[in-house]
Amino acid sequence: MNALNFDPGICAKCETYDCLMKCQYMDFDLESAREERWKLIRGEDTRILNDCVTCYACEEYCPYNNHPFYLIVERQEEKGIHPVPKPIEKSQIKAMAPKGVIAPMKVKEPVINMCYFPMMLGTIRGKLFEGASAIVGSDIFCNLMYLHFARNSVIKERLPKMIENIQKNYLEPSGVKELICYHDECYGTYTSWAPAFGIEVPFKPIHLFEYLYNRLSELKSEIKPLNLKVAYQRPCSNRLSPEIDHFVDDIFGLIGVERVNRKYDHENALCCGGVFEAQQRFDLMEKNQTLNVDDMKENGATHCVFNCPFCFWTLSDLVSQKGMTPIMMSDLCHQALGE
Amino acid sequence: MDRIFERLADIVGSDYVSNAAEERFIYSRDGGVQMPHEPDYVVLPNTTEEVQKIILLANEEKIPVVPMGGGLVLSGLSIPLKGGIVLDMKRMNRIIEVNEKSHYAVVEAGTALGMLSAYLNKHHPSLKNSLPDAPPVATVAGNIMIHGSGHLSQSEGGFHSEMVTGLEVVLPTGKIVKLGSCSTVPYWFSRAPLPDLAGLFLGWNGTTGIITKVGIKLFPRPLLNDGLMFMTEDVDTVPDIMFRIVNTEMCEDLTFFITPKPAMFEGFQMTIISITANSEKEMRLKKEIIRDALRDYYESKEAGFVPVPKEMKAFLLEAPQKNLSAFADVRKGGGFEYVGAIIPVEKIPDAYRAGLDIAAKNGITYSLGGRMIGRGHSFMFYFAYPFNRADKEDMDRVRQALDDTNHAALKMGGIPWKAEVSGQQLILKQMEPSTYEFMQDIRKLLDPNGIMNPGNWEVNP
Ligand SMILES: Cc1cc2nc3c(=O)[nH]c(=O)nc-3n(C[C@H](O)[C@H](O)[C@H](O)COP(=O)(O)OP(=O)(O)OC[C@H]3O[C@@H](n4cnc5c(N)ncnc54)[C@H](O)[C@@H]3O)c2cc1C
Ligand code: SF4
Ligand code: SF4
């Protein structure tokens, strides 16, 4: 049930093994990359299983969209590997479990999916989100974070119900066909993970950035250019939808913001380190955090913009300590509208 | 007019004495499950001399005197079991001196711990006092009289009674004595090198005299405060985990809690490691040393450090811990039993299992936890059972749980803390008879008329 759509035949023809050659956390030459990738495909032990830090990036590196990362997670789970200590894993699975309290509610377009971030609801306001309905909670939570825990099974078990909850309780009765995903994690779930596992998504997911760009274009005359130099902290789940990245430049263009040319951006983005703490990789956590904020500062950023609340919580103190302002993308856009 | 009332009014002024029914009702009970008993008079003295005069009067009239601070002990220790006078010390709340260089404060007995903390914050920001998780109106004297403990007990030397540098006491006969260096020189720096008489009062629950002034140790207040949470699923590993953390000497406070709610904590044990430092560099280093001490645990993936969101961290690190006071009210109806046992560190798993069994057997809500005392010298394990005072059955269940807890604590080799009368009886039954006799000899010597908080620490109250 819900087998991963991974084709070994594609790997057999692959000449680059980019999935591993580009990995920022493991070193390979072409020969060892091929060897380890095939061990993984055959279900044998390989250092990938323990050394993969679940940064999601190889989903972007693979030029054939063959889902190398999802396969790692499948194999990790099969082999009983726990990247995060078991009590923390269990506790998180419990904490984020669906509460089953969802009830039908009339919604109006645009419908913004706030995932399981009720504390972020305050940002759905003003002209930017005029007339929007926001939905949030454990019963619509994408559950994709369990990739970091090597627990695809939790996503497989919960996601179909979540999709049904969204569709039956909110979208269908209101005749809404599109769902704006505030969090990259939800967008990646519906556009990458669900299709990879053959799970049907009955609505059309729209990335927040696309929505922001379109909305700001409509409100163009009201924008006051911010004239800021901003570092963009790309989140891990954006690796599942790299085609969205241009919207960052497009939005910045509209609001008069310069995306500083940092080393750790685009394909070379570096994880905020939050997940490494859960995985008890403390040295790596500190290393990535220092590299990230130093890189922002050295490239002249005055602000650091996030789209992932978790990255924001992880890095905001360090960003502030370096004299920069941490801000969520939606709030930056509010500012440009003087809100 | 009542003759004793008049004489009390002569001593403290008529505004500060009462025998009104409503006042006697309020002073007849505390927040726990102990039976109420009304005092005949409630008196609020303002000076040591007034305390002395009240004690002389009580001796003359042979009526009991029960000292009271914040009245927050919850085990009935300031309920006047045999009537008489409740001596409410809250007016004696002056902070007399702070000696920065020698790290102590001299305060009147009724000074609230929260008030001392706020005062230091404002006037001596480089210093702090150890705070229990009790509401901030708990008093300095009330706390040391029950061997209380707080957020500096792990790093700075144990029970708060061990942090006392000197005392002024009105003896049950009315004599005023000073104990410690203050008896000989104008400084309250320590109880050494003199023969230590403070032990005749500390932890005696007000049965041997009235404390009127306290010298208490203060400690440096580092600039930064952060913490780590270590989660386990096997309680048998907790003593070793605590042992290793303590031995790093890197943390300020070391506590532990389990709770059935919220769901993310159910079935797990959470060890909270509070760390202070004067620079980010020091903080990072301390965290690294602590993490290294537990490396094999987290590498085994059977336990690990939980990433704690900033808001939750602030909540977990605050002193005093407001969440315990909030938990106290979960059943509504104003009832809370907060029992403790001081136990050897290795008995944490036994206490944990006993607490869960007792809560399940009696069908009550619980929160269990504790605090390391000293550098791993003992553990204060608390069992918190909230109840609804308006629900008699609820109270009976908690009363039973309290009794079960006392038995379990003694059985595992611990000693019930701030024990109510029935708990005291259990302890005395198990105590060496010669020790008990010695205690009674001392009481008779100090208090020939038996006026001090009678009914407590007696085999036949
Ligand atoms: C939510 C909650 C959390 C708590 N957490 C903690 C904790 O972390 N650590 C801790 O130690 N305690 C804790 N407690 C227990 C208790 O509240 C405190 O120990 C408190 O400090 C007791 O002080 P008090 O002034 O209220 O004492 P009271 O209850 O007024 O008195 C305690 C005893 O001392 C005697 N006494 C009081 N003043 C004098 C005096 N001047 N001279 C002689 N005898 C006197 C009384 O007769 C009585 O026997 C907690 C209580 C609650 C409700
Ligand atoms: S997963 Fe993609 S990049 Fe990796 S070997 Fe296969 S085809 Fe090549
Ligand atoms: S998920 Fe990240 S760490 Fe793991 S193999 Fe892919 S690129 Fe490397």
Side-chain angles (χ1 to χ4, degrees):
Chain A
M1 177 214 165
N2 297 133
L4 172 65
N5 184 10
F6 175 89
D7 183 355
I10 298 179
C11 295
K13 286 190 220 136
C14 181
E15 290 178 355
T16 61
Y17 283 80
D18 276 348
C19 57
L20 294 177
M21 293 299 288
K22 288 189 177 177
C23 175
Q24 293 162 301
Y25 302 95
M26 286 180 270
D27 283 330
F28 295 97
D29 54 28
L30 194 59
E31 191 43 43
S32 60
R34 183 179 295 121
E35 215 170 282
E36 299 303 318
R37 169 58 57 195
W38 278 94
K39 282 188 198 161
L40 189 86
I41 293 171
R42 290 192 295 266
E44 295 166 10
D45 284 342
T46 150
R47 67 183 168 104
I48 301 172
L49 291 169
N50 286 309
D51 294 351
C52 169
V53 302
T54 70
C55 78
Y56 292 27
C58 43
E59 281 296 304
E60 176 178 9
Y61 301 150
C62 172
Y64 308 104
N65 201 20
N66 203 19
H67 303 307
F69 172 53
Y70 298 154
L71 183 69
I72 296 174
V73 177
E74 285 284 278
R75 295 286 186 260
Q76 284 177 324
E77 184 160 13
E78 281 161 25
K79 301 232 171 240
I81 288 171
H82 296 266
V84 174
K86 289 181 229 171
I88 301 174
E89 175 194 310
K90 283 191 203 169
S91 142
Q92 284 300 310
I93 291 175
K94 263 193 199 179
M96 311 295 272
K99 296 200 169 55
V101 293
I102 193 165
M105 184 180 85
K106 198 85 187 144
V107 290
K108 275 201 293 191
E109 282 188 299
V111 180
I112 321 284
N113 173 12
M114 297 300 287
C115 193
Y116 199 177
F117 291 111
M119 66 298 269
M120 303 299 299
L121 280 171
T123 196
I124 307 304
R125 63 173 199 278
K127 285 190 190 132
L128 200 57
F129 293 102
E130 205 156 25
S133 300
I135 60 173
V136 69
S138 64
D139 292 309
I140 61 161
F141 169 46
C142 66
N143 281 277
L144 200 72
M145 67 178 244
Y146 294 111
L147 288 175
H148 294 302
F149 294 68
R151 285 295 165 275
N152 253 331
S153 56
V154 177
I155 315 172
K156 286 182 195 174
E157 183 195 319
R158 292 181 181 171
L159 184 62
K161 182 71 186 156
M162 303 292 128
I163 293 174
E164 187 189 317
N165 281 345
I166 293 172
Q167 184 66 4
K168 296 276 179 239
N169 287 283
Y170 302 133
L171 304 187
E172 204 174 86
S174 306
V176 176
K177 302 219 164 9
E178 290 184 347
L179 184 65
I180 321 287
C181 296
Y182 185 88
H183 194 200
D184 281 277
E185 198 97 340
C186 299
Y187 187 76
T189 303
Y190 301 125
T191 56
S192 166
W193 194 93
F197 285 90
I199 293 174
E200 211 176 302
V201 179
F203 45 80
K204 181 171 179 219
I206 307 279
H207 193 281
L208 175 74
F209 290 173
E210 186 178 347
Y211 170 81
L212 291 176
Y213 175 70
N214 290 337
R215 184 70 187 135
L216 287 167
S217 301
E218 285 165 14
L219 298 168
K220 204 166 176 178
S221 60
E222 296 178 44
I223 294 174
K224 287 191 207 74
L226 292 170
N227 295 322
L228 299 173
K229 288 182 140 206
V230 175
Y232 171 53
Q233 179 64 33
R234 191 175 173 214
C236 57
S237 41
N238 192 258
R239 301 288 193 169
L240 309 182
S241 53
E243 70 281 2
I244 291 299
D245 192 60
H246 72 90
F247 281 114
V248 176
D249 297 317
D250 300 344
I251 293 170
F252 283 5
L254 282 176
I255 62 176
V257 160
E258 178 191 334
R259 179 176 184 170
V260 299
N261 192 13
R262 41 181 308 213
K263 180 175 174 194
Y264 301 114
D265 199 352
H266 305 287
E267 198 181 82
N268 199 37
L270 201 58
C271 165
C272 70
V275 162
F276 301 159
E277 188 179 12
Q279 295 181 345
Q280 320 289 293
R281 301 179 202 262
F282 305 112
D283 294 345
L284 195 55
M285 170 185 84
E286 282 184 9
K287 183 179 158 202
N288 271 26
Q289 293 178 346
T290 309
L291 286 174
N292 266 315
V293 291
D294 286 352
D295 178 44
M296 296 170 195
K297 189 75 190 168
E298 279 160 17
N299 288 292
T302 56
H303 287 61
C304 171
V305 72
F306 298 88
N307 196 46
C308 169
F310 189 62
C311 298
F312 181 89
W313 295 323
T314 303
L315 282 181
S316 55
D317 277 357
L318 288 173
V319 166
S320 311
Q321 281 163 20
K322 283 268 174 192
M324 297 174 284
T325 306
I327 188 163
M328 294 295 288
M329 182 66 105
S330 50
D331 289 334
L332 192 72
C333 295
H334 279 302
Q335 273 193 13
L337 291 170
E339 292 181 331
Chain B
M1 190 64 173
D2 182 328
R3 181 174 48 85
I4 297 177
F5 179 91
E6 286 201 343
R7 290 187 63 190
L8 287 169
D10 280 347
I11 297 169
V12 295
S14 55
D15 284 349
Y16 297 106
V17 57
S18 175
N19 58 0
E22 61 274 22
E23 228 91 62
R24 288 166 49 217
F25 174 86
I26 286 170
Y27 282 85
S28 69
R29 57 197 64 227
D30 66 15
V33 283
Q34 298 311 306
M35 291 303 189
H37 197 287
E38 289 192 359
D40 298 300
Y41 312 95
V42 178
V43 188
L44 285 94
N46 192 31
T47 62
T48 301
E49 289 63 37
E50 286 180 9
V51 174
Q52 181 183 41
K53 285 180 187 158
I54 295 163
I55 292 291
L56 290 172
L57 170 64
N59 269 296
E60 218 181 295
E61 300 287 346
K62 308 262 180 313
I63 54 168
V65 177
V66 177
M68 180 186 144
L72 285 163
V73 75
L74 305 177
S75 45
L77 299 178
S78 51
I79 292 177
L81 302 173
K82 308 213 163 162
I85 298 169
V86 166
L87 203 63
D88 184 333
M89 300 296 286
K90 283 189 211 62
R91 281 177 76 210
M92 292 183 62
N93 64 354
R94 297 168 194 93
I95 295 169
I96 298 163
E97 182 195 348
V98 171
N99 184 321
E100 280 206 1
K101 289 289 176 293
S102 289
H103 288 85
Y104 66 78
V106 183
V107 301
E108 286 185 339
T111 302
L113 282 151
M115 182 174 146
L116 175 58
S117 172
Y119 180 87
L120 293 172
N121 243 333
K122 189 163 174 195
H123 300 287
H124 305 274
S126 61
L127 296 176
K128 61 183 177 182
N129 58 320
S130 183
L131 286 168
D133 294 321
V137 288
T139 63
V140 175
N143 187 260
I144 60 176
M145 295 311 266
I146 59 161
H147 290 307
S149 54
H151 80 306
L152 300 180
S153 285
Q154 189 269 151
S155 54
E156 304 289 7
F159 294 104
H160 291 160
S161 44
E162 295 174 85
M163 297 177 183
V164 169
T165 61
L167 292 174
E168 179 189 83
V169 187
V170 177
L171 298 180
T173 49
K175 185 181 274 188
I176 300 171
V177 293
K178 281 187 174 166
L179 309 175
S181 58
C182 62
S183 67
T184 310
V185 292
Y187 301 100
W188 289 63
F189 52 81
S190 88
R191 280 144 66 182
L194 302 171
D196 190 6
L197 294 167
L200 294 175
F201 306 94
L202 298 171
W204 282 77
N205 307 154
T207 58
T208 51
I210 311 285
I211 310 291
T212 44
K213 290 192 185 85
V214 183
I216 191 95
K217 286 183 185 172
L218 304 176
F219 304 96
R221 182 201 300 270
L223 299 172
L224 305 176
N225 185 16
D226 202 345
L228 298 169
M229 183 197 279
F230 198 69
M231 187 182 252
T232 48
E233 206 179 357
D234 175 5
V235 70
D236 290 318
T237 59
V238 173
D240 182 51
I241 286 164
M242 297 261 180
F243 179 81
R244 292 188 195 196
I245 299 169
V246 160
N247 285 3
T248 65
E249 302 197 320
M250 289 293 131
C251 76
E252 178 174 85
D253 192 12
L254 185 56
T255 58
F256 157 87
F257 75 90
I258 66 158
T259 172
K261 276 183 190 154
M264 68 177 289
F265 292 135
E266 193 191 0
F268 306 108
Q269 305 92 35
M270 276 61 62
T271 296
I272 309 297
I273 308 151
S274 305
I275 309 167
T276 49
N278 280 309
S279 68
E280 289 293 346
K281 193 171 161 195
E282 183 188 349
M283 181 63 81
R284 266 201 305 277
L285 184 68
K286 284 183 162 175
K287 282 187 186 170
E288 193 180 322
I289 292 170
I290 292 168
R291 284 176 180 140
D292 277 350
L294 300 178
R295 183 179 287 273
D296 52 337
Y297 277 104
Y298 70 70
E299 283 186 348
S300 77
K301 301 291 163 92
E302 300 298 334
F305 291 95
V306 187
V308 184
K310 219 160 81 178
E311 292 71 21
M312 190 198 269
K313 205 176 255 184
F315 193 60
L316 289 171
L317 293 178
E318 70 183 355
Q321 282 273 303
K322 285 198 213 73
N323 54 356
L324 199 56
S325 297
F327 175 74
D329 197 34
V330 292
R331 300 277 299 147
K332 303 297 170 199
F336 185 48
E337 197 53 66
Y338 177 80
V339 209
I342 310 302
I343 60 172
V345 177
E346 65 274 22
K347 296 293 178 185
I348 292 171
D350 293 0
Y352 166 93
R353 292 194 177 95
L356 288 186
D357 286 352
I358 291 165
K361 180 188 137 204
N362 294 291
I364 52 175
T365 318
Y366 67 90
S367 168
L368 308 178
R371 167 170 277 134
M372 185 63 79
I373 306 293
R375 294 286 194 200
H377 295 113
S378 61
F379 197 79
M380 193 284 286
F381 200 102
Y382 72 79
F383 307 80
Y385 310 123
F387 60 90
N388 178 352
R389 189 169 295 288
D391 180 345
K392 187 183 167 303
E393 282 175 14
D394 209 15
M395 280 185 83
D396 287 345
R397 282 194 292 268
V398 168
R399 213 170 266 130
Q400 183 59 50
L402 176 59
D403 190 47
D404 292 348
T405 309
N406 286 335
H407 278 95
L410 283 164
K411 196 168 156 218
M412 76 181 74
I415 300 177
W417 167 58
K418 66 181 180 65
E420 73 294 345
V421 168
S422 55
Q424 294 167 12
Q425 306 273 299
L426 285 178
I427 298 170
L428 293 177
K429 227 161 93 186
Q430 196 169 309
M431 189 183 266
E432 294 272 341
S434 55
T435 309
Y436 174 65
E437 275 167 34
F438 182 48
M439 277 173 70
Q440 298 316 308
D441 289 347
I442 286 171
R443 276 181 81 174
K444 264 187 225 130
L445 190 72
L446 290 172
D447 181 14
N449 291 319
I451 59 164
M452 289 304 306
N453 207 353
N456 282 288
W457 294 110
E458 294 165 19
V459 169
N460 300 305

